[in-house]
Amino acid sequence: MRIIATVVLGACAFSAQAPKRTVTDAEVQKVHKSALVLDTHNDVTSRTITGFDINKAAADGHTDIVRYRAGGFGAQFFAVYVGANYVEGNGSAHRAMEMIDTVRHDIIGKNPKDFELALTAADIVRIHKNGKIASLMGIEGGHAIEDSLRLLRNFYALGIRYMTLTHSNTNNWAGSSGDLDGRTKGLSPLGKDIVKEMNRLGMMVDISHVSDKTFWDALAVSSAPLLASHSSCRSISNIPRNMTDEMIVAMAKKGGVVQVNFGCEFLSQKSAKTSNFGNPAIREKVAAAMKNFKGTLDEQRAKMREVIKEMGLKTIPATLADAVAHIDHIVKIAGIDAVGIGADYDGVDCVPEGLDDVSKMPNLTRALLENGYSAKDIRKIYGENLLRLMRAAEQAAQH
Ligand SMILES: [Zn+2]
């Protein structure tokens, strides 16, 4: 997830690119059902931790069980997100434990007919076959382990299967893309030991949010392929959170996968320019207004929208075609085995029309079919590539 919100005013213009071929509803359904739809980043945890009931169809947000079922979901990695504000006073591990509990207790525990905890790639396949949504956890923000390999191992034992080495804050051992200072920093010796320990455990090394230098260090150190759980292409939308072509190609050569983020500013340069990501003036004003703000994530977002609105700004939304363009680009430069979906639902405010929430995934299936992707390609994008990466992480742990 990201902290700073963007605001969407007015209706999104649904992109109407001429399809390469005509696709029937029956074909969309058939192909969609044949895939294991797996998404590697969802922040509904920031809502369930303050009481949101995922089993109630909600009018707001992006995620609930009804919409998951409509979207044909097979597996979800839930974000165990720890904000940078927990670093002060050493509250990061405490927060991570509470976030793990909201996945295990509020999401899975209270809804056993719909969700089941998955710890391995084999679990994902088995749970999906049984008609439930395989539920996994990834830590977002490496500061959660409070510089301790012992805590890292405990988090693995509780079910954490990936960790982003940083969030938007640089921590004591890894530089982040989210602060100017951190962009010059990579992995410290401790950071390299942490990556090696993640390899030894079989926890996927997630480079979403890290600085470019941290990325290259992690690529050199990791014995397992890298994961980008929710990042898109910088050559299309030039923001530090996205990946350069060089990074995507290098990561793919080692078996890594880029899971495309659906946030408008990740997908479209036009959107980025009207958000904190691509516009430093917005970033500064929002950061100043948010400095001592306390409250729930939803309250924070409302406050941030207010600030941006006061600046008289309108975010230009991205389109479904923009999402397809990122998938096309990764396939073109790195191959069909290098791309997946990490939508960041409930972690971003602006998503493209047609991909408004988790229920809308069949629209992407249709768009991919119209653009010439085969059923086999779509199955790779939706889950098989990530399953391959997870199996490789599991195998690396045995050596
Ligand atoms: Zn994030």
Short mmCIF file of all heavy atoms in Angstrom, two decimals, residues 299-365:
data_model
loop_
_atom_site.label_atom_id
_atom_site.label_comp_id
_atom_site.label_asym_id
_atom_site.label_seq_id
_atom_site.Cartn_x
_atom_site.Cartn_y
_atom_site.Cartn_z
N GLU A 299 -9.45 7.30 7.50
CA GLU A 299 -9.47 8.71 7.91
C GLU A 299 -8.29 9.47 7.32
O GLU A 299 -8.41 10.61 6.90
CB GLU A 299 -9.45 8.81 9.44
CG GLU A 299 -10.77 8.47 10.10
CD GLU A 299 -10.66 8.18 11.60
OE1 GLU A 299 -9.52 8.14 12.11
OE2 GLU A 299 -11.69 8.00 12.23
N GLN A 300 -7.16 8.80 7.29
CA GLN A 300 -5.97 9.43 6.70
C GLN A 300 -6.21 9.74 5.22
O GLN A 300 -5.87 10.80 4.73
CB GLN A 300 -4.76 8.50 6.81
CG GLN A 300 -4.15 8.44 8.20
CD GLN A 300 -2.92 7.53 8.23
OE1 GLN A 300 -2.14 7.52 7.30
NE2 GLN A 300 -2.79 6.78 9.28
N ARG A 301 -6.80 8.75 4.54
CA ARG A 301 -7.05 8.95 3.10
C ARG A 301 -8.00 10.11 2.87
O ARG A 301 -7.81 10.92 1.97
CB ARG A 301 -7.61 7.67 2.50
CG ARG A 301 -6.56 6.63 2.34
CD ARG A 301 -7.05 5.59 1.34
NE ARG A 301 -6.08 4.53 1.28
CZ ARG A 301 -6.36 3.26 1.51
NH1 ARG A 301 -7.58 2.89 1.80
NH2 ARG A 301 -5.42 2.36 1.44
N ALA A 302 -9.06 10.18 3.69
CA ALA A 302 -10.03 11.26 3.54
C ALA A 302 -9.34 12.60 3.73
O ALA A 302 -9.57 13.55 2.97
CB ALA A 302 -11.16 11.07 4.55
N LYS A 303 -8.48 12.65 4.72
CA LYS A 303 -7.75 13.89 5.00
C LYS A 303 -6.85 14.27 3.81
O LYS A 303 -6.78 15.43 3.40
CB LYS A 303 -6.91 13.69 6.28
CG LYS A 303 -5.97 14.82 6.62
CD LYS A 303 -6.74 16.00 7.19
CE LYS A 303 -5.82 17.18 7.44
NZ LYS A 303 -6.56 18.43 7.59
N MET A 304 -6.20 13.27 3.27
CA MET A 304 -5.28 13.55 2.16
C MET A 304 -6.02 13.99 0.90
O MET A 304 -5.57 14.88 0.17
CB MET A 304 -4.42 12.32 1.89
CG MET A 304 -3.38 12.12 2.99
SD MET A 304 -2.29 10.73 2.70
CE MET A 304 -3.34 9.37 3.16
N ARG A 305 -7.17 13.37 0.66
CA ARG A 305 -7.97 13.80 -0.48
C ARG A 305 -8.35 15.27 -0.33
O ARG A 305 -8.33 16.03 -1.29
CB ARG A 305 -9.25 12.96 -0.59
CG ARG A 305 -9.03 11.65 -1.26
CD ARG A 305 -10.36 10.95 -1.50
NE ARG A 305 -10.16 9.53 -1.42
CZ ARG A 305 -10.61 8.77 -0.44
NH1 ARG A 305 -11.34 9.28 0.52
NH2 ARG A 305 -10.37 7.49 -0.42
N GLU A 306 -8.70 15.61 0.89
CA GLU A 306 -9.08 16.99 1.20
C GLU A 306 -7.93 17.96 0.85
O GLU A 306 -8.13 18.99 0.22
CB GLU A 306 -9.33 17.06 2.71
CG GLU A 306 -10.30 18.09 3.19
CD GLU A 306 -10.44 17.94 4.71
OE1 GLU A 306 -11.16 17.03 5.16
OE2 GLU A 306 -9.79 18.71 5.41
N VAL A 307 -6.73 17.59 1.27
CA VAL A 307 -5.55 18.43 1.02
C VAL A 307 -5.34 18.63 -0.49
O VAL A 307 -5.16 19.75 -0.97
CB VAL A 307 -4.28 17.80 1.64
CG1 VAL A 307 -3.03 18.53 1.18
CG2 VAL A 307 -4.38 17.82 3.16
N ILE A 308 -5.44 17.53 -1.23
CA ILE A 308 -5.20 17.61 -2.67
C ILE A 308 -6.31 18.44 -3.34
O ILE A 308 -6.04 19.25 -4.23
CB ILE A 308 -5.09 16.21 -3.30
CG1 ILE A 308 -3.84 15.51 -2.73
CG2 ILE A 308 -4.99 16.29 -4.81
CD1 ILE A 308 -3.68 14.06 -3.17
N LYS A 309 -7.52 18.26 -2.86
CA LYS A 309 -8.66 19.01 -3.40
C LYS A 309 -8.46 20.50 -3.16
O LYS A 309 -8.73 21.33 -4.05
CB LYS A 309 -9.95 18.53 -2.77
CG LYS A 309 -11.19 18.88 -3.57
CD LYS A 309 -12.41 18.24 -2.93
CE LYS A 309 -13.68 18.75 -3.58
NZ LYS A 309 -14.86 18.25 -2.89
N GLU A 310 -7.99 20.82 -1.96
CA GLU A 310 -7.74 22.24 -1.62
C GLU A 310 -6.72 22.86 -2.57
O GLU A 310 -6.68 24.07 -2.77
CB GLU A 310 -7.24 22.35 -0.17
CG GLU A 310 -8.38 22.36 0.83
CD GLU A 310 -7.90 22.15 2.26
OE1 GLU A 310 -6.67 22.18 2.50
OE2 GLU A 310 -8.76 21.93 3.13
N MET A 311 -5.85 22.01 -3.11
CA MET A 311 -4.85 22.52 -4.07
C MET A 311 -5.46 22.71 -5.46
O MET A 311 -4.78 23.15 -6.39
CB MET A 311 -3.67 21.55 -4.16
CG MET A 311 -2.80 21.52 -2.90
SD MET A 311 -1.55 20.22 -2.99
CE MET A 311 -0.41 20.95 -4.16
N GLY A 312 -6.74 22.36 -5.59
CA GLY A 312 -7.43 22.55 -6.88
C GLY A 312 -6.99 21.56 -7.93
O GLY A 312 -7.03 21.85 -9.13
N LEU A 313 -6.57 20.37 -7.50
CA LEU A 313 -6.03 19.39 -8.46
C LEU A 313 -7.01 18.25 -8.72
O LEU A 313 -7.79 17.89 -7.86
CB LEU A 313 -4.72 18.83 -7.93
CG LEU A 313 -3.58 19.84 -7.89
CD1 LEU A 313 -2.46 19.35 -6.99
CD2 LEU A 313 -3.07 20.13 -9.28
N LYS A 314 -6.90 17.72 -9.91
CA LYS A 314 -7.71 16.56 -10.28
C LYS A 314 -6.76 15.48 -10.81
O LYS A 314 -5.95 15.75 -11.69
CB LYS A 314 -8.68 16.92 -11.42
CG LYS A 314 -9.80 17.82 -11.02
CD LYS A 314 -10.69 18.08 -12.23
CE LYS A 314 -11.76 19.08 -11.88
NZ LYS A 314 -12.64 19.37 -13.02
N THR A 315 -6.91 14.29 -10.29
CA THR A 315 -6.10 13.19 -10.81
C THR A 315 -6.73 12.65 -12.08
O THR A 315 -7.93 12.41 -12.13
CB THR A 315 -5.97 12.06 -9.77
OG1 THR A 315 -5.16 12.54 -8.71
CG2 THR A 315 -5.30 10.83 -10.36
N ILE A 316 -5.89 12.49 -13.08
CA ILE A 316 -6.38 11.91 -14.33
C ILE A 316 -6.32 10.39 -14.20
O ILE A 316 -5.24 9.84 -13.95
CB ILE A 316 -5.52 12.38 -15.52
CG1 ILE A 316 -5.58 13.92 -15.60
CG2 ILE A 316 -5.95 11.73 -16.82
CD1 ILE A 316 -4.49 14.53 -16.44
N PRO A 317 -7.46 9.71 -14.31
CA PRO A 317 -7.45 8.26 -14.09
C PRO A 317 -6.73 7.50 -15.20
O PRO A 317 -6.63 7.98 -16.34
CB PRO A 317 -8.93 7.89 -14.08
CG PRO A 317 -9.68 9.16 -14.09
CD PRO A 317 -8.80 10.22 -14.63
N ALA A 318 -6.24 6.32 -14.85
CA ALA A 318 -5.69 5.41 -15.85
C ALA A 318 -6.83 4.57 -16.42
O ALA A 318 -7.97 4.67 -15.97
CB ALA A 318 -4.65 4.52 -15.20
N THR A 319 -6.53 3.75 -17.41
CA THR A 319 -7.55 2.93 -18.06
C THR A 319 -7.16 1.45 -18.01
O THR A 319 -6.00 1.12 -17.75
CB THR A 319 -7.71 3.33 -19.54
OG1 THR A 319 -6.47 3.03 -20.20
CG2 THR A 319 -8.03 4.81 -19.70
N LEU A 320 -8.15 0.62 -18.30
CA LEU A 320 -7.89 -0.82 -18.42
C LEU A 320 -6.82 -1.06 -19.50
O LEU A 320 -5.95 -1.92 -19.35
CB LEU A 320 -9.20 -1.54 -18.75
CG LEU A 320 -9.21 -3.03 -19.05
CD1 LEU A 320 -8.54 -3.85 -17.95
CD2 LEU A 320 -10.64 -3.52 -19.23
N ALA A 321 -6.89 -0.29 -20.57
CA ALA A 321 -5.90 -0.44 -21.65
C ALA A 321 -4.49 -0.13 -21.15
O ALA A 321 -3.51 -0.73 -21.60
CB ALA A 321 -6.26 0.48 -22.82
N ASP A 322 -4.38 0.81 -20.19
CA ASP A 322 -3.06 1.10 -19.60
C ASP A 322 -2.51 -0.14 -18.88
O ASP A 322 -1.31 -0.43 -18.95
CB ASP A 322 -3.15 2.26 -18.60
CG ASP A 322 -3.40 3.60 -19.27
OD1 ASP A 322 -2.90 3.81 -20.40
OD2 ASP A 322 -4.11 4.44 -18.67
N ALA A 323 -3.38 -0.84 -18.16
CA ALA A 323 -2.94 -2.06 -17.45
C ALA A 323 -2.44 -3.10 -18.45
O ALA A 323 -1.39 -3.72 -18.26
CB ALA A 323 -4.08 -2.62 -16.60
N VAL A 324 -3.19 -3.25 -19.53
CA VAL A 324 -2.78 -4.21 -20.57
C VAL A 324 -1.44 -3.78 -21.18
O VAL A 324 -0.57 -4.62 -21.46
CB VAL A 324 -3.87 -4.35 -21.66
CG1 VAL A 324 -3.39 -5.23 -22.81
CG2 VAL A 324 -5.16 -4.91 -21.05
N ALA A 325 -1.25 -2.47 -21.32
CA ALA A 325 0.01 -1.97 -21.92
C ALA A 325 1.22 -2.37 -21.08
O ALA A 325 2.29 -2.69 -21.62
CB ALA A 325 -0.06 -0.45 -22.08
N HIS A 326 1.06 -2.35 -19.75
CA HIS A 326 2.18 -2.77 -18.89
C HIS A 326 2.46 -4.26 -19.04
O HIS A 326 3.62 -4.68 -19.09
CB HIS A 326 1.88 -2.42 -17.43
CG HIS A 326 2.09 -0.97 -17.12
ND1 HIS A 326 3.23 -0.49 -16.50
CD2 HIS A 326 1.32 0.11 -17.39
CE1 HIS A 326 3.14 0.83 -16.39
NE2 HIS A 326 1.98 1.22 -16.91
N ILE A 327 1.40 -5.05 -19.11
CA ILE A 327 1.58 -6.50 -19.30
C ILE A 327 2.27 -6.74 -20.64
O ILE A 327 3.25 -7.47 -20.73
CB ILE A 327 0.22 -7.24 -19.20
CG1 ILE A 327 -0.32 -7.13 -17.76
CG2 ILE A 327 0.36 -8.70 -19.62
CD1 ILE A 327 -1.77 -7.58 -17.59
N ASP A 328 1.77 -6.05 -21.69
CA ASP A 328 2.39 -6.18 -23.03
C ASP A 328 3.87 -5.85 -22.98
O ASP A 328 4.69 -6.53 -23.58
CB ASP A 328 1.74 -5.18 -24.01
CG ASP A 328 0.39 -5.65 -24.53
OD1 ASP A 328 0.05 -6.83 -24.34
OD2 ASP A 328 -0.33 -4.81 -25.12
N HIS A 329 4.18 -4.77 -22.28
CA HIS A 329 5.57 -4.31 -22.26
C HIS A 329 6.49 -5.33 -21.58
O HIS A 329 7.58 -5.63 -22.09
CB HIS A 329 5.67 -2.95 -21.55
CG HIS A 329 7.04 -2.36 -21.62
ND1 HIS A 329 7.59 -1.87 -22.79
CD2 HIS A 329 8.00 -2.24 -20.67
CE1 HIS A 329 8.82 -1.46 -22.55
NE2 HIS A 329 9.10 -1.66 -21.27
N ILE A 330 6.06 -5.85 -20.46
CA ILE A 330 6.89 -6.85 -19.75
C ILE A 330 7.06 -8.10 -20.61
O ILE A 330 8.16 -8.65 -20.73
CB ILE A 330 6.27 -7.18 -18.36
CG1 ILE A 330 6.28 -5.93 -17.47
CG2 ILE A 330 7.05 -8.33 -17.68
CD1 ILE A 330 5.43 -6.03 -16.20
N VAL A 331 5.98 -8.52 -21.26
CA VAL A 331 6.05 -9.70 -22.13
C VAL A 331 7.03 -9.43 -23.27
O VAL A 331 7.86 -10.27 -23.62
CB VAL A 331 4.65 -10.06 -22.67
CG1 VAL A 331 4.75 -11.12 -23.76
CG2 VAL A 331 3.75 -10.54 -21.54
N LYS A 332 6.97 -8.21 -23.82
CA LYS A 332 7.83 -7.87 -24.97
C LYS A 332 9.31 -7.89 -24.58
O LYS A 332 10.15 -8.43 -25.29
CB LYS A 332 7.43 -6.46 -25.48
CG LYS A 332 8.03 -6.13 -26.84
CD LYS A 332 7.54 -4.77 -27.33
CE LYS A 332 8.66 -3.75 -27.16
NZ LYS A 332 8.21 -2.37 -27.24
N ILE A 333 9.63 -7.32 -23.44
CA ILE A 333 11.07 -7.20 -23.10
C ILE A 333 11.59 -8.40 -22.30
O ILE A 333 12.79 -8.68 -22.32
CB ILE A 333 11.39 -5.88 -22.34
CG1 ILE A 333 10.70 -5.84 -20.97
CG2 ILE A 333 11.03 -4.67 -23.18
CD1 ILE A 333 11.17 -4.68 -20.09
N ALA A 334 10.71 -9.11 -21.59
CA ALA A 334 11.22 -10.14 -20.66
C ALA A 334 10.53 -11.50 -20.83
O ALA A 334 10.96 -12.47 -20.21
CB ALA A 334 11.06 -9.65 -19.22
N GLY A 335 9.47 -11.55 -21.63
CA GLY A 335 8.81 -12.83 -21.88
C GLY A 335 7.55 -13.05 -21.05
O GLY A 335 7.34 -12.41 -20.02
N ILE A 336 6.76 -14.00 -21.49
CA ILE A 336 5.45 -14.29 -20.87
C ILE A 336 5.59 -14.89 -19.46
O ILE A 336 4.67 -14.85 -18.66
CB ILE A 336 4.60 -15.23 -21.79
CG1 ILE A 336 3.16 -15.38 -21.30
CG2 ILE A 336 5.25 -16.58 -21.95
CD1 ILE A 336 2.30 -14.15 -21.44
N ASP A 337 6.79 -15.40 -19.15
CA ASP A 337 6.99 -16.02 -17.82
C ASP A 337 7.32 -15.00 -16.74
O ASP A 337 7.50 -15.37 -15.58
CB ASP A 337 8.13 -17.04 -17.88
CG ASP A 337 7.80 -18.21 -18.79
OD1 ASP A 337 6.60 -18.50 -18.98
OD2 ASP A 337 8.74 -18.84 -19.32
N ALA A 338 7.42 -13.72 -17.11
CA ALA A 338 7.94 -12.72 -16.17
C ALA A 338 6.88 -11.79 -15.60
O ALA A 338 7.21 -10.84 -14.90
CB ALA A 338 9.02 -11.88 -16.87
N VAL A 339 5.61 -12.06 -15.88
CA VAL A 339 4.57 -11.09 -15.49
C VAL A 339 3.41 -11.74 -14.74
O VAL A 339 3.05 -12.88 -15.01
CB VAL A 339 4.07 -10.30 -16.74
CG1 VAL A 339 3.41 -11.22 -17.75
CG2 VAL A 339 3.13 -9.17 -16.34
N GLY A 340 2.87 -10.99 -13.78
CA GLY A 340 1.71 -11.44 -13.02
C GLY A 340 0.92 -10.23 -12.53
O GLY A 340 1.11 -9.10 -13.01
N ILE A 341 0.03 -10.46 -11.56
CA ILE A 341 -0.85 -9.40 -11.07
C ILE A 341 -0.63 -9.16 -9.57
O ILE A 341 -0.71 -10.09 -8.76
CB ILE A 341 -2.35 -9.78 -11.27
CG1 ILE A 341 -2.63 -10.15 -12.74
CG2 ILE A 341 -3.28 -8.65 -10.80
CD1 ILE A 341 -2.43 -9.06 -13.76
N GLY A 342 -0.35 -7.91 -9.22
CA GLY A 342 -0.24 -7.49 -7.81
C GLY A 342 -0.97 -6.17 -7.68
O GLY A 342 -0.40 -5.10 -7.52
N ALA A 343 -2.31 -6.24 -7.77
CA ALA A 343 -3.13 -5.06 -8.06
C ALA A 343 -3.03 -3.94 -7.02
O ALA A 343 -3.20 -2.78 -7.35
CB ALA A 343 -4.59 -5.49 -8.21
N ASP A 344 -2.78 -4.30 -5.76
CA ASP A 344 -2.72 -3.29 -4.69
C ASP A 344 -4.11 -2.74 -4.34
O ASP A 344 -4.25 -1.59 -3.91
CB ASP A 344 -1.79 -2.13 -5.08
CG ASP A 344 -1.06 -1.51 -3.88
OD1 ASP A 344 -1.37 -1.89 -2.74
OD2 ASP A 344 -0.20 -0.63 -4.09
N TYR A 345 -5.13 -3.59 -4.50
CA TYR A 345 -6.48 -3.16 -4.12
C TYR A 345 -6.53 -2.81 -2.64
O TYR A 345 -5.91 -3.46 -1.81
CB TYR A 345 -7.51 -4.25 -4.44
CG TYR A 345 -7.89 -4.32 -5.90
CD1 TYR A 345 -7.74 -5.48 -6.64
CD2 TYR A 345 -8.39 -3.18 -6.54
CE1 TYR A 345 -8.09 -5.52 -7.99
CE2 TYR A 345 -8.75 -3.22 -7.88
CZ TYR A 345 -8.60 -4.38 -8.61
OH TYR A 345 -8.95 -4.41 -9.92
N ASP A 346 -7.25 -1.76 -2.34
CA ASP A 346 -7.35 -1.18 -0.99
C ASP A 346 -6.04 -0.62 -0.47
O ASP A 346 -5.95 -0.20 0.68
CB ASP A 346 -7.97 -2.18 0.02
CG ASP A 346 -9.49 -2.23 -0.11
OD1 ASP A 346 -10.10 -1.15 -0.20
OD2 ASP A 346 -10.06 -3.33 -0.16
N GLY A 347 -5.04 -0.56 -1.35
CA GLY A 347 -3.79 0.12 -1.01
C GLY A 347 -3.60 1.36 -1.86
O GLY A 347 -2.78 2.22 -1.55
N VAL A 348 -4.35 1.44 -2.95
CA VAL A 348 -4.34 2.63 -3.81
C VAL A 348 -5.76 3.17 -3.90
O VAL A 348 -6.72 2.41 -3.80
CB VAL A 348 -3.80 2.31 -5.23
CG1 VAL A 348 -2.32 2.01 -5.19
CG2 VAL A 348 -4.55 1.15 -5.86
N ASP A 349 -5.87 4.46 -4.09
CA ASP A 349 -7.21 5.06 -4.15
C ASP A 349 -7.76 5.06 -5.56
O ASP A 349 -8.95 4.87 -5.77
CB ASP A 349 -7.15 6.51 -3.66
CG ASP A 349 -7.16 6.55 -2.15
OD1 ASP A 349 -7.61 5.57 -1.54
OD2 ASP A 349 -6.71 7.56 -1.59
N CYS A 350 -6.88 5.32 -6.51
CA CYS A 350 -7.34 5.43 -7.90
C CYS A 350 -6.99 4.16 -8.65
O CYS A 350 -5.82 3.79 -8.76
CB CYS A 350 -6.69 6.65 -8.55
SG CYS A 350 -7.14 6.85 -10.29
N VAL A 351 -8.03 3.48 -9.13
CA VAL A 351 -7.82 2.31 -9.99
C VAL A 351 -8.58 2.55 -11.30
O VAL A 351 -9.52 3.33 -11.33
CB VAL A 351 -8.31 1.00 -9.30
CG1 VAL A 351 -7.36 0.57 -8.21
CG2 VAL A 351 -9.71 1.16 -8.75
N PRO A 352 -8.18 1.89 -12.38
CA PRO A 352 -8.83 2.16 -13.67
C PRO A 352 -10.29 1.73 -13.69
O PRO A 352 -10.64 0.74 -13.05
CB PRO A 352 -8.03 1.29 -14.65
CG PRO A 352 -6.78 0.94 -13.96
CD PRO A 352 -7.09 0.92 -12.50
N GLU A 353 -11.09 2.48 -14.43
CA GLU A 353 -12.46 2.04 -14.65
C GLU A 353 -12.42 0.73 -15.42
O GLU A 353 -11.62 0.56 -16.34
CB GLU A 353 -13.26 3.07 -15.45
CG GLU A 353 -14.73 2.69 -15.50
CD GLU A 353 -15.61 3.71 -16.19
OE1 GLU A 353 -15.12 4.83 -16.44
OE2 GLU A 353 -16.77 3.40 -16.48
N GLY A 354 -13.22 -0.23 -14.98
CA GLY A 354 -13.16 -1.57 -15.58
C GLY A 354 -12.32 -2.51 -14.73
O GLY A 354 -12.41 -3.71 -14.85
N LEU A 355 -11.48 -1.93 -13.87
CA LEU A 355 -10.73 -2.74 -12.90
C LEU A 355 -10.97 -2.15 -11.51
O LEU A 355 -10.07 -2.05 -10.68
CB LEU A 355 -9.22 -2.72 -13.23
CG LEU A 355 -8.79 -3.47 -14.49
CD1 LEU A 355 -7.32 -3.23 -14.80
CD2 LEU A 355 -9.06 -4.97 -14.35
N ASP A 356 -12.21 -1.75 -11.27
CA ASP A 356 -12.56 -0.96 -10.08
C ASP A 356 -12.36 -1.68 -8.75
O ASP A 356 -12.19 -1.03 -7.73
CB ASP A 356 -14.04 -0.54 -10.15
CG ASP A 356 -14.43 -0.05 -11.53
OD1 ASP A 356 -14.37 -0.87 -12.47
OD2 ASP A 356 -14.77 1.12 -11.67
N ASP A 357 -12.45 -3.00 -8.77
CA ASP A 357 -12.29 -3.76 -7.52
C ASP A 357 -12.01 -5.21 -7.89
O ASP A 357 -11.89 -5.56 -9.07
CB ASP A 357 -13.52 -3.61 -6.61
CG ASP A 357 -14.81 -4.06 -7.28
OD1 ASP A 357 -14.77 -5.08 -8.02
OD2 ASP A 357 -15.85 -3.42 -7.07
N VAL A 358 -11.91 -6.08 -6.85
CA VAL A 358 -11.52 -7.48 -7.11
C VAL A 358 -12.53 -8.25 -7.96
O VAL A 358 -12.18 -9.28 -8.54
CB VAL A 358 -11.25 -8.26 -5.79
CG1 VAL A 358 -10.05 -7.71 -5.04
CG2 VAL A 358 -12.49 -8.29 -4.88
N SER A 359 -13.74 -7.74 -8.07
CA SER A 359 -14.75 -8.47 -8.86
C SER A 359 -14.52 -8.32 -10.37
O SER A 359 -15.12 -9.03 -11.17
CB SER A 359 -16.16 -7.95 -8.53
OG SER A 359 -16.36 -6.66 -9.08
N LYS A 360 -13.67 -7.38 -10.75
CA LYS A 360 -13.59 -7.01 -12.17
C LYS A 360 -12.53 -7.76 -12.99
O LYS A 360 -12.32 -7.46 -14.16
CB LYS A 360 -13.34 -5.50 -12.30
CG LYS A 360 -14.45 -4.64 -11.72
CD LYS A 360 -15.77 -4.85 -12.45
CE LYS A 360 -16.79 -3.76 -12.18
NZ LYS A 360 -17.23 -3.68 -10.79
N MET A 361 -11.89 -8.75 -12.37
CA MET A 361 -10.82 -9.45 -13.09
C MET A 361 -11.24 -10.05 -14.45
O MET A 361 -10.45 -10.06 -15.39
CB MET A 361 -10.20 -10.54 -12.20
CG MET A 361 -9.33 -9.99 -11.09
SD MET A 361 -7.90 -9.07 -11.70
CE MET A 361 -6.88 -10.44 -12.25
N PRO A 362 -12.50 -10.54 -14.58
CA PRO A 362 -12.88 -11.06 -15.90
C PRO A 362 -12.76 -10.01 -17.02
O PRO A 362 -12.54 -10.37 -18.18
CB PRO A 362 -14.34 -11.50 -15.70
CG PRO A 362 -14.41 -11.87 -14.24
CD PRO A 362 -13.54 -10.84 -13.55
N ASN A 363 -12.87 -8.72 -16.66
CA ASN A 363 -12.68 -7.68 -17.69
C ASN A 363 -11.24 -7.70 -18.23
O ASN A 363 -11.00 -7.44 -19.41
CB ASN A 363 -12.94 -6.28 -17.11
CG ASN A 363 -14.41 -6.04 -16.82
OD1 ASN A 363 -15.25 -6.77 -17.32
ND2 ASN A 363 -14.70 -5.02 -16.02
N LEU A 364 -10.30 -8.00 -17.36
CA LEU A 364 -8.91 -8.09 -17.80
C LEU A 364 -8.72 -9.32 -18.69
O LEU A 364 -8.02 -9.25 -19.71
CB LEU A 364 -7.96 -8.13 -16.59
CG LEU A 364 -6.47 -8.13 -16.94
CD1 LEU A 364 -6.06 -6.85 -17.66
CD2 LEU A 364 -5.61 -8.32 -15.68
N THR A 365 -9.39 -10.40 -18.32
CA THR A 365 -9.31 -11.62 -19.14
C THR A 365 -9.81 -11.31 -20.55
O THR A 365 -9.18 -11.69 -21.54
CB THR A 365 -10.18 -12.74 -18.50
OG1 THR A 365 -9.72 -12.94 -17.17
CG2 THR A 365 -10.06 -14.03 -19.29
#
